[in-house]
């Protein structure tokens, strides 16, 4: 195990955390980022064993490549990687939307050695200065093979995922994106819109519920913009469903339908309890 | 201070927590609840010094009365209290909606000795078994006088609030209800509606964002039904505003307006950061 060489491309919150975690698991980690400041920080704070100043030199000798850049950027990185990676290396990404990534991968020369990935971990802060080796511990890490991905590659990425204490789960990319639209992208959008309603007139009345509901609105804006546009159709569809349900709830309140409101609350409560057990 | 006798009416999460906290602050606390099980539990677990089996016996000798029952019930309790309380006692409630309470109070004989109250504290669990003497510590506790409330009464309730480590803030009941609709009642409604979308097909994809966003949907259903109907007009108005903003956000995504999406995210982020500092 001590000889596995992993390259992390993109040294943000996820990349930095993965690098730390993989180092702790005994891998030799090379880090690359187009942002020199992030690269230098990662080197100075021992998130990585060594750095590289070009993608080519970063991945030349790598056994594994972990791509942790915003999802639209990852399409370009994968294309570049395809030209410079060795024929033995395996590649996984960490984008929150999987269909565009997987469709892009399967058109590349090294498609068989590439698999989509999505760790269910994130925070409202960004950058390598928040790297945490335990960020992925105990979390699901979805793997979405493309049409050409070799089963051996899925296996070896699964071993890497497990070495970080996360649980690899192989799923279909379309199913993933539809579900993530509801469980991740919609809550982000709601949080952003709610935060926009926090005018100065109501700030005094903010309690823990509002703080909790708007916390993730402070997350990286460019990253989320990319996620939203990459998963447009599933997100618009689930957000319209939410709008429809909220309008029905408002109607119940508007016409003082107390039994109807209580049924709505009890249904939400029973689903929330199922969610809490996950 | 050791001689102040406080009666807590309603031994749920808030009432039990207030009782514990006031006991720790040196008051002698009598507890009353129409639910014998809650009363007995509170006695057995030393949340209160003594119990009473009728409202009349509970408040006969009380210097202070803290009413902690669901908001619609509190209107009946206040009416009953008005008949049996001493002319020296001061009364505060803890309901999340203040206009109906304050309007009700000011029609009573003891209106001058009554003030509306709303501690900005709550949890997704209910009942005296979750009582926590620190629940209100560091939290704002809004006080809404009615037209006849004596300034001395506001002062003495303020002292009681401070003895629990909370911050008394005197505000207008209408302003309170409009703001609370946005900061508290709307997030609760959103959480309930979102939780209702957690079908079995997406449970595997639940991460911390979804768990956080649906946590409060597990709160007491009957209590929230009462809050929603008691604050109908402000809640419907702010929820429609949210719907409108969410629809605009969906439109930005649907037409792939990336600069527009990023402006929306950055605005939400800056408001969320202001909220987090509160």
């Amino acid at each position: 195990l001590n000889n596995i060489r992993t390259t992390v491309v993109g040294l943000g919150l996820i990349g930095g955390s993965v690098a730390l975690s993989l180092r702790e698991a005994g891998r030799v980690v090379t880090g690359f980022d187009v942002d020199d400041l992030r690269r230098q920080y990662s080197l100075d704070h021992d998130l990585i064993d060594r750095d590289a100043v070009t993608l080519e030199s970063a991945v030349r000798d790598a056994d594994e490549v972990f791509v942790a850049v915003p999802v639209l950027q990852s399409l370009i990185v994968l294309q570049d990687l395809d030209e410079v990676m060795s024929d033995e290396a395996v590649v996984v990404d960490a984008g929150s939307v999987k269909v565009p990534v997987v469709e892009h991968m399967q058109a590349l020369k090294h498609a068989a050695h590439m698999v989509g990935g999505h760790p269910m971990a994130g925070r409202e802060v960004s950058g390598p200065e928040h790297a945490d080796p335990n960020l992925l511990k105990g979390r699901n890490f979805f793997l979405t093979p493309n049409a050409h991905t070799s089963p051996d590659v899925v296996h070896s990425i699964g071993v890497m995922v497990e070495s970080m204490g996360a649980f690899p789960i192989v799923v279909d990319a379309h199913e993933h994106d539809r579900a993530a639209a509801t469980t991740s992208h919609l809550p982000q959008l709601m949080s952003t819109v709610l935060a926009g309603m926090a005018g100065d007139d109501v700030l005094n009345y903010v309690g823990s519920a509002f703080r909790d509901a708007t916390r993730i609105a402070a997350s990286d804006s460019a990253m989320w913009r990319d996620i939203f546009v990459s998963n447009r159709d599933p997100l618009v569809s689930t957000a319209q469903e939410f709008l429809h349900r909220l309008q029905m709830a408002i109607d119940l309140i508007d016409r003082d339908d107390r039994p109807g409101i209580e049924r709505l609350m009890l249904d939400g409560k029973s689903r929330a309890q199922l969610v809490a057990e996950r």
Side-chain angles (χ1 to χ4, degrees), chain A:
Chain A
L1 257 177
N2 279 314
N3 292 324
I4 298 183
R5 289 159 300 186
T6 308
T7 294
V8 176
V9 179
L11 297 164
L13 174 68
I14 299 289
S17 298
V18 163
L20 262 181
S21 179
L22 291 179
R23 285 197 72 196
E24 285 188 1
R27 281 166 166 77
V28 179
V29 176
T30 300
F32 173 73
D33 200 299
V34 289
D35 181 340
D36 285 338
L37 218 57
R38 289 189 161 193
R39 193 171 45 74
Q40 195 57 50
Y41 180 95
S42 301
L43 198 60
D44 292 347
H45 292 79
D46 293 323
L47 307 187
I48 55 179
D49 290 288
R50 55 190 184 205
D51 69 336
V53 292
T54 66
L55 185 64
E56 179 167 11
S57 62
V59 303
R60 192 184 297 128
D61 304 318
D63 303 307
E64 304 170 336
V65 182
F66 193 106
V67 178
V69 302
V71 63
L72 289 181
Q73 247 174 277
S74 75
L75 304 183
I76 300 162
V77 168
L78 288 167
Q79 189 108 35
D80 293 345
L81 254 182
D82 197 40
E83 300 298 328
V84 295
M85 65 187 276
S86 82
D87 289 339
E88 285 73 41
V90 296
V91 176
V92 67
D93 79 308
S96 303
V97 185
K98 299 271 56 85
V99 170
V101 171
V102 162
E103 287 180 349
H104 193 75
M105 281 177 171
Q106 65 201 19
L108 300 177
K109 282 184 298 188
H110 291 93
H113 280 225
M114 296 179 169
V115 60
H118 179 207
M120 291 293 274
R123 285 188 59 202
E124 69 279 12
V125 292
S126 47
E129 61 273 32
H130 299 288
D132 169 4
N134 296 316
L135 188 69
L136 275 64
K137 195 163 277 177
R139 302 306 181 95
N140 288 343
F141 195 123
F142 295 107
L143 296 179
T144 57
N146 68 68
H148 308 301
T149 305
S150 143
D152 289 352
V153 170
V154 176
H155 175 77
S156 86
I157 294 291
V159 169
M160 179 219 272
V161 165
E162 283 174 344
S163 80
M164 296 188 278
F167 306 119
I169 301 180
V170 178
V171 293
D172 171 72
H174 285 92
E175 181 194 306
H176 171 278
D177 286 2
R178 278 194 303 271
T182 300
T183 61
S184 169
H185 312 163
L186 172 60
Q188 179 67 38
L189 188 64
M190 288 165 55
S191 181
T192 291
V193 173
L194 183 66
M197 289 177 67
D200 293 341
D201 52 327
V202 304
L203 282 182
N204 260 333
Y205 292 88
V206 155
S208 58
F210 196 81
R211 250 192 309 274
D212 288 349
T214 55
R215 182 169 293 118
I216 55 175
S219 304
D220 188 77
S221 302
M223 182 189 82
W224 276 103
R225 178 205 56 203
D226 280 11
I227 293 171
F228 289 168
V229 304
S230 307
N231 201 27
R232 184 180 64 182
D233 293 348
L235 175 55
V236 167
S237 160
T238 197
Q240 292 289 11
E241 166 73 14
F242 175 81
L243 271 186
H244 174 68
R245 286 170 176 247
L246 182 57
Q247 184 63 62
M248 288 199 303
I250 294 172
D251 291 345
L252 289 174
I253 294 166
D254 200 33
R255 61 171 189 265
D256 203 14
D257 179 348
R258 299 182 190 197
I261 297 168
E262 193 161 7
R263 270 195 305 276
L264 176 82
M265 303 298 294
L266 287 172
D267 176 57
K269 179 171 182 158
S270 73
R271 298 311 302 181
Q273 284 168 337
L274 275 179
V275 167
E277 288 162 12
R278 287 285 157 155

